[in-house]
Amino acid sequence: MSLATITHGAVAILAGLLVWFFQEARLGADLADERLQAGEYREQVTSERSAADKRVAKASASAAEKYQGALNASLKREALQRLELDGLRRVNDGLRDQNADAARRLAAAPPAAVLEYATALGVIFEDCRAAYGDMAAKAAGHASDVVTAHDAWPSFTPVNK
């Protein structure tokens, strides 16, 4: 073997090794770039998920706050309606007493026609008073239910990022 063959062989082996190391370094750099991009992508996904979670939590809190406000308003209306109904009952009791007193006075009156008229009027008035009181209570309860349902109904508005 000649010196030129040995030199060419050594140069070829050296060139092969240099190409090998160069390719390995380039592959390592490409792999590092891919890992960096994957890390950035995971970070982006995590931040987007976090932002979405915050938007959902905000919408949920808003809906809960609106529901609770409607419920509190309903409870206040119901308490006020109970007070008004108690007042109505007191007025009705007074009217019933007045009607009973008028019936007693008319009973002592001599003309039979006045007595018959007053008694019939008292019966009719009592029926109307009881029916009106029940109707007012039902109407107030219905109105409260309608307002509660309207106030508690969710309305979703777009949330800005």
Side-chain angles (χ1 to χ4, degrees), residues 12-117:
I13 291 174
L14 183 61
L17 286 174
L18 287 175
V19 167
W20 179 275
F21 288 124
F22 176 75
Q23 289 294 341
E24 184 180 358
R26 199 174 95 195
L27 180 63
D30 288 345
L31 187 59
D33 284 345
E34 290 299 321
R35 285 181 182 160
L36 177 65
Q37 287 177 357
E40 289 172 349
Y41 177 73
R42 279 193 300 270
E43 183 179 331
Q44 179 185 2
V45 167
T46 301
S47 67
E48 287 176 1
R49 185 178 296 147
S50 175
D53 288 346
K54 287 178 184 177
R55 287 192 305 270
V56 167
K58 184 178 179 181
S60 177
S62 175
E65 182 180 341
K66 186 172 185 175
Y67 170 76
Q68 189 61 46
L71 188 60
N72 290 343
S74 172
L75 293 174
K76 287 179 184 178
R77 279 191 311 276
E78 186 178 337
L80 185 62
Q81 288 168 356
R82 283 185 186 147
L83 289 174
E84 290 173 352
L85 186 58
D86 289 343
L88 176 64
R89 287 183 179 141
R90 282 192 299 276
V91 168
N92 284 339
D93 290 343
L95 289 175
R96 186 179 57 237
D97 292 344
Q98 286 178 0
N99 189 38
D101 184 48
R104 281 191 296 272
R105 284 187 287 137
L106 284 173
V114 173
L115 179 60
E116 188 176 326
Y117 177 77

Side-chain angles (χ1 to χ4, degrees), residues 111-133:
V114 173
L115 179 60
E116 188 176 326
Y117 177 77
T119 303
L121 185 61
V123 171
I124 293 170
F125 178 75
E126 184 64 25
D127 289 344
C128 290
R129 182 200 58 80
Y132 184 75

